[in-house]
Amino acid sequence: MSRLATGGRIDRTAPLRFTVDGTSYPAFRGDTVASALVAADALTVGPSLYRRRPRGVLTAGVDEPNALLDVAGELLPATTVDVVDGLAVNTRSGVGRLRPEPDTARYDKTFAFADVAVVGGGPAGLAAALAASAGGARVLMVDDQPELGGDLLAGNDSVDGMAGSQWVAAARETLRARPEVRVLSRAGAVGYYDDNYLLVAQRRTGRPGSAAQRLWHVRAKWVVLATGAHERSIVFADNDRPGIMLASAVRDYLTRYAALAGQNAVVCTTNDSAYPTALQLRAAGARVVAVVDTRTAPPRDLVGRAEVAGIRVLSGMVVHGTQGPGRISGVTVSRLDRDDTLVGPSQDLACDLLAVSGGWNPAVHLFSQSTGTLRWDGDLAAFRPAHGGRRQRVVGAANGTYPLADCLREGTEAGAEAAEQTGFPAPAGPVPTAARRRGVLPRPVWLVPGTGDPGEWRDHFVDLQRDGTVADIWRATRAGMRSVEHIKRYTTIGTGQDQGRGSGVLASGVIAEALGVDSPGSLGTTTFRPPYQPVSFALLAGRDRGPLADPVRTTPMHGWHVAAGAVFENVGQWKRPWYYPRAGEDMETAVWRECLAARTGVALMDASTLGKIEVLGADAGEFLNRIYTNGMKKLPVGSARYGLMCTADGMVLDDGVVLRLAEDRYYLTTTTGGAAKVLDWLEEWSQTEWPELDVACTSVTEQWSTIAVVGPDARQVVGRLAPGLDVSVVGFPFMTFRDTVLGNGITARIARISFSGELAYEVNVAGWFGAATWESVLAAGADLDITPYGTETMDVLRAEKGFPIVGQDTDGTVTPQDLGMDWVVSTRKQFVGRRSHQRADAVRSDRKHLVGLLPVDRTALLPEGAQLVEPGAGTTDGRVPMLGHVTSSYRSAILDRTFALALVRDGRNRIGQTLLAPLVDKEIAVVVTEPVGYDQEGHRRDG
């Protein structure tokens, strides 16, 4: 056992037990799985992913590449998993597994607003939160550790004359006493988006996967990033053995968890920060064989303190090899000359622990996600923030600032500025005082050379999680790659679960040496993308899973449809009545009856699911003129017009009817499944392409219920429904609308619109009056045998008239001209997609056109999707050139036969020709016709 008898921040009164890969280990409350393994002298955590080499715990934070655990289906670093009694986990070498059983854990989401959000609970973050909240600002503090304090909990630093941990406790109590401050512990900020929008993943208890987790959606006026820095290693031969750890991790395990990682230690460093680790190891009773410092003249005070403690300092030297059958048993050190080559005789030092510090990388990931730019700091040998957002500050180690006094000053100033900028000027107060040295890097070392050609250095590991080596990088550069992004993808270095937190800058240093450039600053970094640390899909989904994964949307009339025995189909997320079978009817019979009712009497349909968007503003007409292929700007108030939208490449996007409600207000309808897509399309063009236009778009789909009343007797029914409305042809022309009051006192907007070719009205009422109005329409047409119909009948009726449905008769490769809808495409104005209609490909004569098909056998029903060929078509190699395919196919009651619509190459010039639809067991001969198969003159539209 390597647990010290005293010390640490664990609760020794609460002993626990847990298992890893079936082996039981002791722990205390406050331990992580990693710290308990270190305390049990069980550093080896499993083989590496590809090379199957033994690997051990390397870090103490989210940057851990080796010790990965399957915790109830989540792949998590052992360094972030708190031990609870009975916890059972398994190691995973960078590869998780899909869990077959249902996840019973609870995942929530919540929304929060803050004047100032402080990310990071170390000294700089605490100073910022104290200053920002002093004047009453709402402050949200986010920290991924169980308790605030950061580095102050692990060292002997003092602040304002108090021990660091005492100052942290006092600061925590001050924040707790301020009512507008909220502290989220065990909460990692995983994404930083536009306008200071943060995603924060919080583990609300210590047991991942089996207890509640919460995803916070945070909007802040001001953000202070105090995310700290990650220590990096050095690349040398066999630098991946268990027992090799980052110096800061060795120190954290010792001071926070009273876990001694080794009895005989060598410390290898390029900077000041590893010296406290050596001194604390010695004070804990370990033997520190030597501090190996790459610098020829380390600071004298540090060297002196080490020598007083009996620690030998080997300056100007570096570790360049390790020994051991598994866990490290010794290191080889040599002198390093000015051009980073090894000179002179080497020394072998026996040890069971090697603590390495190759420098520090500011944790700039969230800053970069927020579109912040970086610059290379040669003194620190690291990338640090350059230019960020206007309502943002980066402080402390995240900003490349390491002296404790400077961290506290930066945090205090940033918090005070944030409070003042958000309207809460903080009372003047002193900056906490402290003194500490750390982070001097006059001589960075990325790579300690081995023997022979670097392309053969397969034991010099750059990325431990991906087994990425110097040899892999040299192979990439010799293949001609120069970009760090390309080399990342070629070698997979930095693509693991840790997303290159430990290997990214190290890889840039090795690449720089391979390419012979001055420094990693000449290369830049790879892109830092969210999430900053792994987040489960279950947490992102929250409660939107199982039956809630795809919410069901229903109209206000849904209860009536269910009671009437409707069969439903899913259209988008909507439950739409498909058909209404009566006793003994199958689908074909029910649809036949419903079609005849609409063509010969009167029928009604629930059309509430149609997308509905209001467009408001002084430039609404101009905006829609640019969006639709036909003109909308001069549409009279009170009138309606069919409109078609195209994508930028000229292909049909969606269609619907536009009503002009006022000079500056329009009402648009869209297809049911395309409503969200169209709203996104409108927002994209209004916000990014034409921001100068005064226009706003609002979805009102669920605010309105729509009832289509269709058929020769529709005028009589609507006249009874709205007795004060003139429903005559002259008084209420086609493609106009009227605002009126129904006989039951409900305000309605009624439009003369037809998707069937018959006399038709669309009755629109507020959503909460939908069910009552549906009942009123039924009552008004009861003596006329008014018949409800569903989407299948709607499809038959519109197809008989040759009306296409976007997404069924189009597939993203169809222009309005292909549909025979030149009449809806203006030649006098500009609109999205117009230029594309003039491309050679868009006007070639052999494009596929929408046509009608009549099977020679009047009873033969073509399958939708069936391919069409010319009679006798074929080639010597057995291939058959396809002319097109069937898009819609139905049985028509009014035509008393089957018919179809199809996209056929050069279809309009094939009208009258016979084609074949080859099926598995037969061929169906069809005659190509005009798309409109019924009432081509349109006489029935007005009744």
Side-chain angles (χ1 to χ4, degrees):
M1 292 291 293
S2 298
R3 180 81 74 180
L4 300 182
T6 60
R9 304 185 66 80
I10 51 177
D11 184 356
R12 296 176 187 269
T13 67
L16 311 168
R17 292 204 72 86
F18 70 104
T19 62
V20 177
D21 294 333
T23 301
S24 179
Y25 296 96
F28 293 107
R29 183 184 297 149
D31 264 319
T32 65
V33 171
S35 69
L37 291 176
V38 172
D41 203 29
L43 295 185
T44 302
V45 292
S48 65
L49 179 59
Y50 300 116
R51 303 275 292 276
R52 313 308 293 174
R53 291 168 66 103
R55 292 281 164 78
V57 177
L58 178 72
T59 77
V62 296
D63 49 343
E64 173 59 37
N66 297 330
L68 302 180
L69 303 176
D70 180 345
V71 187
E74 290 189 65
L75 187 66
L76 299 172
T79 51
T80 66
V81 179
D82 296 327
V83 176
V84 295
D85 203 33
L87 178 68
V89 296
N90 296 292
T91 56
R92 295 287 176 202
S93 300
V95 178
R97 67 179 179 90
L98 290 176
R99 195 171 55 170
E101 63 273 13
D103 186 350
T104 59
R106 187 177 79 249
Y107 302 90
D108 284 324
K109 67 179 177 181
T110 190
F111 298 86
F113 302 87
D115 296 308
V116 183
V118 179
V119 182
L126 279 171
L130 289 169
S133 61
R138 288 180 301 175
V139 174
L140 179 70
M141 190 166 197
V142 176
D143 190 54
D144 63 357
Q145 296 298 309
E147 57 179 335
L148 300 175
D151 221 17
L152 290 176
L153 301 178
N156 297 321
D157 304 293
S158 64
V159 181
D160 288 345
M162 296 182 285
S165 58
Q166 291 178 323
W167 182 82
V168 169
R172 190 165 53 235
E173 288 304 315
T174 299
L175 293 174
R176 183 178 291 122
R178 292 175 176 173
E180 295 298 329
V181 176
R182 171 183 278 163
V183 177
L184 302 182
S185 298
R186 291 190 179 91
V190 297
Y192 189 171
Y193 306 94
D194 293 346
D195 296 320
N196 282 344
Y197 177 56
L198 297 164
L199 276 186
V200 178
Q202 183 185 31
R203 298 189 180 280
R204 299 175 64 197
T205 68
R207 188 173 185 178
S210 61
Q213 298 181 45
R214 176 173 287 173
L215 189 66
W216 291 76
H217 297 254
V218 178
R219 183 75 73 179
K221 294 181 181 177
W222 197 279
V223 172
V224 177
L225 294 175
T227 47
H230 298 301
E231 194 170 25
R232 62 175 177 258
S233 186
I234 302 173
V235 179
F236 50 83
D238 295 317
N239 61 329
D240 65 329
R241 296 185 189 278
I244 300 176
M245 300 175 68
L246 295 180
S248 60
V250 172
R251 184 183 180 205
D252 281 349
Y253 288 125
L254 180 61
T255 57
R256 290 196 183 193
Y257 306 103
L260 190 58
Q263 298 295 329
N264 296 281
V266 170
V267 178
C268 180
T269 185
T270 65
N271 61 93
D272 297 356
S273 68
Y275 280 81
T277 298
L279 294 171
Q280 288 175 319
L281 281 171
R282 186 70 189 90
R287 175 173 174 262
V288 180
V289 179
V291 172
V292 181
D293 196 325
T294 61
R295 298 172 294 184
T296 56
R300 283 304 310 163
D301 61 324
L302 294 179
V303 175
R305 291 170 59 194
E307 290 175 343
V308 168
I311 302 172
R312 185 167 49 140
V313 176
L314 303 177
S315 59
M317 303 189 75
V318 71
V319 170
H320 66 86
T322 67
Q323 298 86 45
R327 178 169 177 167
I328 190 171
S329 62
V331 300
T332 301
V333 302
S334 292
R335 188 160 301 283
L336 198 65
D337 70 6
R338 291 185 177 181
D339 59 355
D340 287 350
T341 58
L342 301 176
V343 297
S346 61
Q347 301 180 44
D348 290 330
L349 305 176
C351 64
D352 62 359
L353 172 66
L354 173 61
V356 181
S357 178
W360 293 83
N361 300 322
V364 295
H365 306 70
L366 291 174
F367 172 77
S368 296
Q369 289 177 24
S370 69
T371 69
T373 60
L374 306 177
R375 66 180 178 87
W376 177 254
D377 188 317
D379 293 332
L380 296 177
F383 292 97
R384 61 187 299 184
H387 303 289
R390 291 177 298 171
R391 295 177 289 124
Q392 171 200 85
R393 282 286 298 274
V394 186
V395 298
N399 194 39
T401 303
Y402 295 105
L404 180 56
D406 293 340
C407 288
L408 295 170
R409 175 184 52 78
E410 280 190 0
T412 301
E413 292 175 353
E417 178 188 5
E420 182 177 358
Q421 292 297 321
T422 55
F424 296 89
V431 175
T433 59
R436 182 178 66 185
R437 295 188 62 179
R438 189 180 83 180
V440 179
L441 272 175
R443 188 182 182 185
V445 176
W446 313 104
L447 172 63
V448 181
T451 59
D453 183 77
E456 302 299 325
W457 294 353
R458 300 186 69 246
D459 57 356
H460 288 60
F461 288 90
V462 180
D463 187 332
L464 299 181
Q465 191 169 119
R466 289 297 191 189
D467 278 335
T469 66
V470 171
D472 297 325
I473 289 177
W474 277 77
R475 186 171 66 252
T477 58
R478 286 171 173 173
M481 297 184 187
R482 297 295 181 267
S483 164
V484 291
E485 292 280 11
H486 293 163
I487 293 173
K488 171 183 176 178
R489 284 151 180 78
Y490 185 85
T491 63
T492 73
I493 290 174
T495 63
Q497 177 265 359
D498 68 339
Q499 285 295 288
R501 277 187 286 274
S503 63
V505 176
L506 198 59
S508 293
V510 176
I511 294 169
E513 294 198 12
L515 296 177
V517 300
D518 293 339
S519 73
S522 304
L523 303 172
T525 67
T526 56
T527 303
F528 300 114
R529 298 183 177 90
Y532 169 67
Q533 61 193 62
V535 177
S536 69
F537 285 114
L539 179 58
L540 294 176
R543 300 192 183 192
D544 297 334
R545 54 182 174 156
L548 298 178
D550 193 16
V552 173
R553 302 175 74 181
T554 59
T555 71
M557 294 81 107
H558 185 74
W560 189 95
H561 302 322
V562 172
V567 177
F568 293 91
E569 72 167 335
N570 297 322
V571 182
Q573 294 174 324
W574 290 97
K575 289 287 185 183
R576 297 198 68 180
W578 195 8
Y579 59 99
Y580 297 83
R582 293 178 179 174
E585 288 185 339
D586 58 10
M587 177 177 174
E588 182 178 330
T589 306
V591 172
W592 192 277
R593 172 180 51 79
E594 292 171 10
C595 287
L596 283 178
R599 290 294 185 206
T600 63
V602 63
L604 79 164
M605 176 188 178
D606 183 357
S608 304
T609 64
L610 288 176
K612 309 174 193 72
I613 301 169
E614 282 205 15
V615 179
L616 181 68
D619 297 318
E622 173 62 25
F623 174 70
L624 295 180
N625 237 31
R626 301 179 187 183
I627 289 291
Y628 283 98
T629 61
N630 50 336
M632 297 296 172
K633 190 174 182 179
K634 296 181 180 179
L635 179 66
V637 174
S639 294
R641 181 169 294 162
Y642 172 80
L644 195 67
M645 301 180 188
C646 286
T647 53
D649 61 359
M651 305 305 162
V652 173
L653 172 70
D654 205 88
D655 68 344
V657 174
V658 177
L659 281 62
R660 189 164 194 174
L661 308 181
E663 289 297 326
D664 61 349
R665 187 179 175 196
Y666 290 77
Y667 174 93
L668 285 54
T669 64
T670 74
T671 58
T672 295
K677 174 183 64 179
V678 170
L679 182 60
D680 284 346
W681 184 249
L682 299 179
E683 292 287 5
E684 178 181 347
W685 285 92
S686 67
Q687 293 183 32
T688 65
E689 301 299 325
W690 308 315
E692 73 281 1
L693 295 183
D694 175 14
V695 62
C697 306
T698 303
S699 172
V700 293
T701 299
E702 293 179 330
Q703 279 65 40
W704 290 92
S705 290
T706 302
I707 303 166
V709 184
V710 177
D713 295 333
R715 180 172 287 116
Q716 190 174 352
V717 172
V718 173
R720 296 173 181 176
L721 183 69
L725 180 66
D726 181 357
V727 294
S728 67
V729 175
V730 175
F732 198 167
F734 183 63
M735 295 305 277
T736 61
F737 68 90
R738 301 287 185 265
D739 290 331
T740 187
V741 178
L742 306 183
N744 56 11
I746 295 174
T747 299
R749 177 178 296 142
I750 301 179
R752 277 271 282 117
I753 299 170
S754 178
F755 195 46
S756 61
E758 296 292 335
L759 173 66
Y761 300 81
E762 289 187 359
V763 181
N764 299 273
V765 296
W768 43 81
F769 296 133
T773 304
W774 179 268
E775 296 276 4
S776 297
V777 175
L778 286 169
D783 62 325
L784 300 173
D785 194 23
I786 190 169
T787 301
Y789 70 93
T791 55
E792 186 67 14
T793 295
M794 176 195 73
D795 280 343
V796 176
L797 298 176
R798 64 88 195 172
E800 289 170 346
K801 291 292 295 180
F803 298 156
I805 288 185
V806 175
Q808 178 168 335
D809 299 302
T810 68
D811 60 3
T813 66
V814 177
T815 67
Q817 294 84 355
D818 297 337
L819 297 175
M821 299 177 68
D822 308 65
W823 56 271
V824 82
V825 179
S826 173
T827 59
R828 294 181 294 176
K829 72 178 184 71
Q830 293 296 327
F831 57 85
V832 177
R834 178 180 177 180
R835 287 188 301 171
S836 296
H837 291 165
Q838 300 165 10
R839 293 180 302 152
D841 182 72
V843 298
R844 56 186 171 84
S845 60
D846 63 343
R847 288 187 63 83
K848 291 181 179 179
H849 302 152
L850 184 70
V851 295
L853 299 177
L854 293 178
V856 174
D857 179 353
R858 298 173 63 92
T859 64
L861 184 66
L862 288 164
E864 291 180 352
Q867 296 294 313
L868 300 169
V869 301
E870 290 182 336
T875 59
T876 56
D877 60 2
R879 293 179 299 171
V880 178
M882 302 299 176
L883 297 178
H885 68 282
V886 176
T887 60
S888 301
S889 180
Y890 308 102
R891 298 184 190 277
S892 170
I894 200 69
L895 299 176
D896 193 25
R897 62 163 301 131
T898 59
F899 75 104
L901 298 177
L903 288 171
V904 176
R905 185 178 303 136
D906 198 22
R908 285 192 286 273
N909 292 321
R910 295 179 183 272
I911 291 176
Q913 294 182 12
T914 299
L915 304 178
L916 294 179
L919 307 180
V920 174
D921 56 348
K922 60 182 177 181
E923 291 182 333
I924 298 179
V926 296
V927 177
V928 181
T929 67
E930 293 285 352
V932 182
Y934 177 68
D935 185 29
Q936 292 189 2
E937 298 79 10
H939 294 316
R940 301 184 61 83
R941 185 192 68 189
D942 292 324

